[in-house]
């Protein structure tokens, strides 16, 4: 019984992290029709910056907020420099559709190599800000601790705030309009380019949050070639696809679903099959419901 | 000469000539160059597989490293557990990787753009870790893949590296020649039609899904062969031999080569072999720290990828061609 | 405030879609631009609203250069464009579509006033405020598109084929509304239309485009009476 509950809790926790990453990917996808693979590298960089702030201010919370701000700035910078450069050139040929994606991949490599060079010997370790010892109920220890509660609630709060922004504010309306129909939005007077950069900034903040929250939850150690961040990217992508790349709610549901499925495989089948399962889920969703389990039938072509 | 190149006999002669030249060259250069030659041959095959997939059939793969890994591991397993002779191990590598490519290809045929990219990326990230899980794959350490010493009749001074180079070189020549034949056949025409306009291709009766899957299968087979060659040159297969960086490198090589042109493959392959050399030169010149040294090759490759995709997405060769044709067009006004 | 276009040339790749077009529209006039398919009408409009880059020539509205600014900037200078066929966002509600046009305006009170005025002219929109634009009929969508453009309180309104795909009765309604709004809001309007007769009936001035050039310019009445124009574009 407790194993079931624990598996569920593990799934929710890891699923929340995947959701955060998925949100970052979806935000960029909706505003620019690009999957920004460099998001993982940006998240890594933001987390390193967060680590530095922890050293400076001795507070995880301040560092979290600051790393999100920096994550936003970095992401906006990437959009301004990179993407505008890309879109100002008219490409033809077989690469045209995926040139931006390959560029973000190159950027990912650049960021990681750069981090390795500059920060490689920094012994970066982020310790949990709250206890990571599981709650106990009638003698059993749950796979849920204050830290994991923090992760799940932080994700919920972020999603709520983002949804509010999107649905209830003028900026949110501009963001949605620019994503659905940039030309019409322009004709209505919306500064679509600036709005797009804002979308990227929000994505950067979400990615930074994912990095900052996941690191103390894992080994706590940061390194430029960590498999963890690569997996975070992949699982975040899969979560986004499950939810259909179009909606934030979908990203969250996709993340949670993926987290739960993987947790069950981990506990009841075998840890070594986790990645294969994720991959199979990805393929299944893409083949059966390409617009995602949540998305409307708007097709999965770029 | 132009006409000669295009006839089949002409092309065969070309390849044989190149082969003879390489053989002569291998006797005159030092160990390091010969070893690099083997690596070069491996890259030529690997990059060609990507050129086939992307340039000729319009599908993108960010994770070809995984297919190389499959080929490499298959070859090693065939050698270690079944004691197959080397050439048979290579065939096994091709077949197993092609089979994987066929499976992947049926899924890939229905995907496009970012979905295909993400899926192949996922494969590249996750596949090496699978090797860690299963005992018979040798785990973290990997497996040994020892093709053995060169045959006695070549003499006692014939180094193993030269042997690798000969094997790799001949393999590459045969592979590229075969690939060229396939590309010039109706398969190649079908793929190009699919690449240029899927809808139009369907309308003329081409089964787009099958064509794409076939392209993926052939590409994967080639990649598997390259993987086996890679394993041969480093005498092992392990997860760390096929990192994500390898997929990035191959992608960079393909983009540099000009994704649509097979002859351009040399540009990409040479660049990939030269990059570690250049990185070495830089680090020894500037006496850099360990961190910089380990990360410099990756930095150079990534920077190259970004620059090329941003500035000359169809490859430098294609760009030059376009400028030339634009110039000649304007003089005709 | 006049719209002055002189020697405007716009290329689509190797094809010159607009070839040395010149005309002048006075403030408060409704100008109908008619011509066959491919005459360059839509391209002309798109170059005036910043959506398409022009090759050479001039176009000024009230001495403000129209040819070298982005659409979102032109909106802030009083130019609104209802583009052909796809000018509402189906994923947003009617209300959101309307609000979109006034987002850039600083004064929410004024924006509300404008909205009320628009809903008076198009009461059907008022009934469907919270519905998704996806659910509207063709005529309602066109009303919404025009309404959204008017929310920016433009002085120059560019309309691209508002009658496209609509039933004759609906077309008559919409054109009547356009005429009414032009007078009511003191607009200057450039109306591009395939439906030459309906357009000329509500217009003051008519410009006939043929293969990218201006074939005839005249008052609407005289164009309707012109036998050549009647034969070529009015069907009788």
């Amino acid at each position: 019984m407790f194993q079931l509950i624990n598996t569920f809790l593990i799934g929710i926790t890891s699923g929340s992290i995947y959701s955060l990453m998925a949100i970052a990917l979806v935000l960029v996808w909706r505003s620019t029709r690009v999957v920004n693979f460099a998001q993982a590298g940006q998240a890594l960089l933001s987390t390193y910056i967060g680590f530095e702030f922890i050293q400076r201010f001795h507070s995880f919370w301040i560092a979290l907020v600051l790393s999100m701000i920096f994550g936003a700035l970095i992401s906006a910078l990437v959009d301004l420099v990179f993407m505008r450069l890309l879109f100002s050139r008219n490409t033809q040929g077989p690469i045209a559709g995926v040139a931006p994606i390959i560029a973000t991949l190159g950027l990912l490599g650049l960021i990681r190599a750069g981090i390795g060079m500059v920060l490689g010997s920094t012994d970066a370790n982020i310790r949990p800000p709250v206890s990571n010892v599981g709650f106990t109920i009638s003698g059993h220890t749950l796979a849920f601790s204050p830290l994991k509660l923090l992760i799940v609630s932080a994700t919920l709060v972020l999603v709520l705030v983002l949804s509010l922004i999107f649905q209830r504010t003028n900026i949110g309306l501009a963001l949605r309009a620019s994503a659905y129909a940039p030309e019409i939005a322009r004709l209505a007077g919306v500064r679509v380019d600036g709005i797009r950069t804002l979308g990227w900034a929000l994505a950067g903040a979400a990615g930074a949050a994912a990095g900052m929250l996941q690191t103390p939850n894992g080994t706590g150690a940061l390194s430029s070639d960590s498999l963890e961040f690569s997996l975070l990217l992949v699982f975040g992508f899969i979560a986004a696809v499950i939810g259909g790349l179009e909606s934030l709610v979908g990203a969250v549901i996709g993340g949670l679903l993926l987290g739960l499925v993987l947790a069950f495989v981990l506990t009841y089948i075998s840890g070594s099959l986790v990645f294969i399962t994720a991959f199979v889920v990805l393929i299944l969703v893409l083949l059966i419901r390409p617009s995602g389990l949540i998305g409307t039938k708007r097709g999965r072509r770029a | 000469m132009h006409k000669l190149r295009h006839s089949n006999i002409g092309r065969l002669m070309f390849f044989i000539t190149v082969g003879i030249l390489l053989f002569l060259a291998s006797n005159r250069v030092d160990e390091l160059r010969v070893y690099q030659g083997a690596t070069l041959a491996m890259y030529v095959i690997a990059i060609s597989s990507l050129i086939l997939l992307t340039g000729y059939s319009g599908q993108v793969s960010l994770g070809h490293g995984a297919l190389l890994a499959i080929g490499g591991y298959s070859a090693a397993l065939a050698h270690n557990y079944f004691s197959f002779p080397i050439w048979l191990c290579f065939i096994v590598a091709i077949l197993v990787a092609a089979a994987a490519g066929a499976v992947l290809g049926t899924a890939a045929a229905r995907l496009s753009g970012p979905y295909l990219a993400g899926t192949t990326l996922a494969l590249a990230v996750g596949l090496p870790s699978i090797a860690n899980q299963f005992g018979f794959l040798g785990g973290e350490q990997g497996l040994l893949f020892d093709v053995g010493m060169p045959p006695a009749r070549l003499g006692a001074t014939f180094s193993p590296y030269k042997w690798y180079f000969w094997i790799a070189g001949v393999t590459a020549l045969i592979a590229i020649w075969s690939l060229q034949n396939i590309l010039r056949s109706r398969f190649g025409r079908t793929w190009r039609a699919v690449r240029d306009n899927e809808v139009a291709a369907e309308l003329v009766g081409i089964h787009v899904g099958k064509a794409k899957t076939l392209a993926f299968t052939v590409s994967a087979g080639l990649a598997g062969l390259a993987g086996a060659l890679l394993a041969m040159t480093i005498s092992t297969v392990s997860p760390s031999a096929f990192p994500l960086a390898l997929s990035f490198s191959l992608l960079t090589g393909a983009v540099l080569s000009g994704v649509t042109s097979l002859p351009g493959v040399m540009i990409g392959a040479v660049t990939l072999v030269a990059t570690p050399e250049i990185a070495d030169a830089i680090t020894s010149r500037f006496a850099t720290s360990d961190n910089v040294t380990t990360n410099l090759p990756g930095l150079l490759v990534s920077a190259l990828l970004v620059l090329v995709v941003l500035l000359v997405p169809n490859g430098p060769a294609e760009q030059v061609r376009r400028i030339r044709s634009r110039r000649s067009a304007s003089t005709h006004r | 405030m006049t719209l002055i276009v002189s020697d405007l040339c716009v290329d689509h790749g190797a094809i010159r879609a607009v070839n040395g077009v010149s005309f002048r529209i006075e403030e408060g006039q409704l100008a109908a631009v008619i011509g066959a398919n491919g005459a360059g009408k839509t391209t002309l409009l798109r170059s005036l609203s910043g959506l398409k880059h022009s090759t050479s020539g001039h176009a000024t509205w009230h001495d403000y250069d129209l040819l070298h600014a982005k659409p979102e900037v032109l909106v802030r200078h009083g130019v609104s464009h209802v583009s052909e066929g796809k000018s509402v966002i189906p994923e947003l509600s009617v209300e959101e579509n309307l609000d979109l046009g006034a987002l850039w305006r600083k004064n929410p009170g004024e924006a509300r006033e404008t909205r009320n005025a628009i809903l008076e002219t198009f009461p059907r929109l008022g009934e469907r405020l919270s519905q998704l634009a996806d659910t509207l009929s063709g005529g309602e969508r066109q009303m919404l598109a025009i309404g959204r453009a008017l929310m920016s309180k433009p002085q120059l309104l560019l309309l691209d084929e508002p009658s496209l795909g609509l039933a004759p009765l609906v077309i008559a309604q919409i054109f009547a509304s356009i005429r009414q709004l032009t007078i009511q809001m003191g607009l200057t309007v450039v109306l591009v239309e395939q439906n030459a007769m309906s357009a000329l009936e509500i217009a003051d001035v008519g410009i006939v485009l043929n293969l990218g050039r201006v074939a005839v310019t005249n008052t609407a009445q005289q164009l309707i009476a012109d036998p050549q124009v009647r034969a070529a574009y009015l069907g009788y």
Side-chain angles (χ1 to χ4, degrees):
Chain A
M1 183 57 196
F2 267 103
Q3 195 177 44
L4 186 66
I5 297 182
N6 273 345
T7 311
F8 183 75
L9 290 170
I10 293 176
I12 297 284
T13 314
S14 51
S16 303
I17 299 283
Y18 304 153
S19 302
L20 283 176
M21 205 63 201
I23 289 175
L25 290 172
V26 167
L27 280 172
V28 167
W29 170 257
R30 273 172 45 143
S31 59
T32 331
R33 284 279 174 277
V34 163
V35 177
N36 182 14
F37 287 123
Q39 206 73 52
Q42 291 165 224
L44 184 65
L45 185 59
S46 311
T47 312
Y48 261 101
I49 294 179
F51 166 72
E52 292 293 329
F53 279 123
I54 293 183
Q55 306 292 92
R56 182 80 67 86
F57 295 113
H58 299 290
S59 158
F60 178 82
W61 307 104
I62 299 183
L64 177 63
V65 171
L66 285 174
S67 81
M68 284 175 72
I69 296 179
F70 268 86
L73 287 173
I74 295 172
S75 200
L77 202 68
V78 171
D79 175 46
L80 284 173
V81 173
F82 238 56
M83 293 295 134
R84 305 238 177 153
L85 194 63
L86 259 175
F87 291 121
S88 64
R89 316 186 66 88
N90 279 322
T91 18
Q92 304 134 304
I95 301 227
V98 286
I101 300 180
I102 299 183
T104 62
L105 208 62
L107 184 62
L108 176 64
L110 260 178
I111 296 181
R112 295 182 83 151
I115 292 180
M117 282 184 157
V118 175
L119 298 164
S121 38
T122 322
D123 198 9
N125 199 304
I126 300 186
R127 243 106 44 64
V130 295
S131 137
N132 201 8
V133 173
F135 297 115
T136 44
I137 295 187
S138 54
H140 293 267
T141 319
L142 286 179
F144 206 60
S145 61
L147 177 64
K148 302 200 199 288
L149 182 61
L150 169 66
I151 293 178
V152 176
S153 11
T155 309
L156 269 170
V157 167
L158 207 75
V159 171
L160 240 91
V161 168
L162 280 175
S163 299
L164 273 169
I165 294 180
F166 270 84
Q167 299 295 342
R168 296 291 166 99
T169 65
N170 280 343
I171 290 255
L173 180 57
L175 276 163
R176 281 185 294 142
S178 306
Y180 293 136
E183 188 174 283
I184 300 180
R186 275 189 211 276
L187 291 177
V190 174
R191 291 198 200 270
V192 166
D193 294 327
I195 290 289
R196 202 188 60 226
T197 309
L198 179 63
W200 278 66
L202 288 174
M212 281 296 280
L213 289 173
Q214 174 55 16
T215 309
N217 190 33
T219 58
L222 274 180
S223 91
S224 71
D225 53 8
S226 70
L227 183 63
E228 233 179 285
F229 270 85
S230 294
L231 283 180
L232 187 60
L233 175 65
V234 172
F235 288 162
F237 174 76
I238 298 180
V241 168
I242 294 178
L245 279 179
E246 300 292 334
S247 83
L248 289 181
V249 171
V252 173
I253 297 184
L256 291 177
L257 224 72
L258 182 67
L260 284 171
V261 168
L262 293 184
F264 273 92
V265 168
L266 176 72
T267 314
Y268 290 105
I269 308 182
S270 156
S272 52
L273 289 181
V274 165
F275 178 79
I276 300 182
T277 314
F279 194 71
V280 168
V281 168
L282 174 66
I283 300 266
L284 281 178
V285 171
L286 285 177
L287 292 183
I288 301 179
R289 264 209 75 141
S291 49
L293 298 183
I294 323 292
T296 49
K297 301 233 170 219
R298 227 167 256 282
R300 37 137 181 96
R301 306 249 139 189
Chain B
M1 195 58 208
H2 187 73
K3 279 231 177 98
L4 207 58
R5 274 269 284 281
H6 282 268
S7 76
N8 278 335
I9 309 282
R11 284 189 309 114
L12 189 56
M13 296 306 301
F14 174 71
F15 276 93
I16 294 181
T17 314
V18 171
I20 295 179
L21 287 174
L22 286 178
F23 161 71
L24 291 173
S26 72
N27 286 324
R28 290 169 187 273
V29 295
D30 65 43
E31 286 277 286
L32 177 60
R33 295 287 175 234
V34 171
Y35 182 69
Q36 285 183 329
T39 313
L40 185 77
M42 184 271 295
Y43 275 129
V44 165
I45 300 181
I47 296 177
S48 306
S49 75
L50 266 182
I51 290 180
L52 162 62
L53 189 63
T54 310
Y56 282 85
S57 94
Q59 307 175 75
V60 70
S61 164
L62 300 183
H64 247 47
L67 291 168
L68 266 91
I70 292 179
Y73 268 90
S74 311
L77 287 172
H79 190 241
N80 296 352
Y81 285 100
F82 298 108
S83 305
F84 283 169
I86 295 303
W87 59 270
L88 194 56
C89 294
F90 283 179
I91 306 256
V92 169
I94 297 178
L95 291 176
V96 174
V103 171
L104 193 57
T106 34
R110 316 243 244 113
L111 303 175
S112 66
Y115 297 95
L116 183 55
T119 307
T120 49
L121 183 68
L123 194 64
V125 168
L127 202 69
S129 54
I130 291 184
N132 276 335
Q133 315 287 358
F134 298 104
F136 74 94
L137 291 177
E140 196 68 54
Q141 298 283 41
L143 303 168
L144 218 60
F145 184 50
D146 187 3
V147 303
M149 301 303 287
R153 43 195 162 88
L154 288 171
T157 53
F158 200 86
S159 81
Y161 292 132
K162 209 152 132 191
W163 185 222
Y164 295 161
F165 175 63
W166 279 26
I167 297 180
V170 169
T171 311
L173 285 173
I174 298 178
I176 300 301
W177 182 71
S178 314
L179 181 60
Q180 238 193 4
N181 283 341
I182 298 179
L183 288 178
R184 302 171 109 228
S185 74
R186 68 179 168 93
F187 290 114
R189 285 195 290 278
T190 309
W191 290 329
R192 272 195 295 274
V194 167
R195 172 197 74 195
D196 289 334
N197 192 330
E198 273 188 38
V199 175
E202 284 269 17
L203 288 176
V204 296
I206 294 178
H207 195 294
V208 167
K210 266 201 216 151
K212 279 184 161 179
T213 311
L214 185 63
F216 222 101
T217 311
V218 176
S219 172
L222 279 173
L225 180 61
L229 284 178
L230 176 62
M232 173 185 76
T233 55
I234 59 175
S235 301
T236 46
V237 283
S238 69
S240 55
F242 303 99
L244 189 59
L246 178 61
S247 295
F248 282 25
S249 302
L250 294 179
L251 197 60
T252 309
V255 174
L256 263 177
S257 308
V259 134
T260 42
S261 87
L262 195 53
V265 76
M266 285 306 289
I267 305 179
V270 168
T271 311
L272 287 183
V273 172
T275 306
E277 285 254 328
I278 298 177
D280 262 346
I282 299 181
T283 48
S284 45
R285 179 104 193 308
F286 292 103
T288 50
S289 70
D290 272 342
N291 284 328
V292 178
T293 319
T294 31
N295 286 295
L296 191 56
L299 187 77
L300 288 176
V301 171
S302 300
L304 209 53
L305 180 60
V306 171
L307 283 172
V308 176
V309 168
L310 284 182
L311 300 175
V312 278
N314 286 304
E318 179 69 24
Q319 201 68 18
V320 171
R321 205 182 306 162
R322 287 207 187 156
I323 296 179
R324 281 226 195 100
S325 69
R326 232 182 282 156
R327 239 181 250 153
S328 68
S330 61
T331 57
H332 283 304
R333 282 252 177 95
Chain C
M1 300 230 238
T2 32
L3 174 63
I4 304 179
V5 176
S6 61
D7 271 326
L8 185 60
C9 293
V10 185
D11 293 330
H12 265 310
I15 302 177
R16 181 142 284 192
V18 174
N19 199 347
V21 164
S22 303
F23 58 83
R24 184 195 171 99
I25 301 176
E26 303 295 334
E27 184 181 1
Q29 285 191 322
L30 197 164
V33 177
I34 62 176
N37 246 336
K41 314 192 294 292
T42 297
T43 311
L44 171 66
L45 229 52
R46 286 173 73 88
S47 68
L48 291 179
S49 70
L51 287 177
K52 179 96 179 88
H53 184 68
S54 55
T55 313
S56 66
H58 302 278
T60 56
W61 162 248
H62 182 42
D63 286 333
Y64 181 74
D65 180 11
L66 292 177
L67 297 181
H68 298 101
K70 287 202 226 168
E72 55 262 37
V73 173
L74 289 179
V75 170
R76 288 162 168 76
H77 279 94
V79 180
S80 258
H81 179 182
V82 179
S83 65
E84 186 189 350
K86 42 184 167 145
S87 219
V88 299
I89 304 185
E91 294 95 337
L92 300 177
S93 73
V94 170
E95 183 168 11
E96 287 173 327
N97 268 281
L98 284 175
D99 288 339
L100 197 60
L103 274 185
W104 64 272
R105 287 167 65 177
K106 310 289 185 189
N107 192 328
E110 260 187 46
R112 235 174 293 129
E113 265 181 49
T114 317
R115 200 174 90 165
N116 291 336
I118 294 172
L119 291 180
E120 260 185 56
T121 317
F122 297 127
R124 292 255 280 282
L125 293 182
E127 291 160 24
R128 306 191 195 286
L129 270 183
S130 55
Q131 287 181 351
L132 287 187
D134 210 7
T135 60
L136 295 180
S137 70
E140 288 163 349
R141 280 199 215 196
Q142 201 55 259
M143 292 184 214
L144 179 57
I146 297 176
R148 191 266 302 146
L150 292 174
M151 285 292 284
S152 317
K153 269 200 125 179
Q155 290 122 27
L156 176 63
L157 183 63
L158 307 172
L159 293 170
D160 199 342
E161 306 219 24
S163 74
L164 204 60
L166 299 182
L169 208 61
V170 181
I171 296 177
Q173 257 183 314
I174 294 202
F175 274 51
S177 308
I178 294 177
R179 181 77 214 167
Q180 182 194 331
L181 287 164
T182 311
I183 302 173
Q184 199 178 310
M185 298 178 96
L187 298 172
T188 310
V189 176
V190 179
L191 173 63
V192 159
E193 256 303 335
Q194 278 266 61
N195 191 332
M197 194 56 183
S198 305
L200 287 175
E201 277 178 347
I202 59 168
D204 303 306
V205 170
I207 301 167
V208 181
L209 280 190
N210 189 23
L211 293 180
R213 293 178 191 277
V214 176
V216 191
T217 316
N218 216 328
T219 67
Q221 290 312 308
Q222 297 198 295
L223 282 179
I224 294 179
D226 183 332
Q228 276 188 321
V229 171
R230 277 157 70 144
Y233 302 106
L234 303 182
Y236 63 105

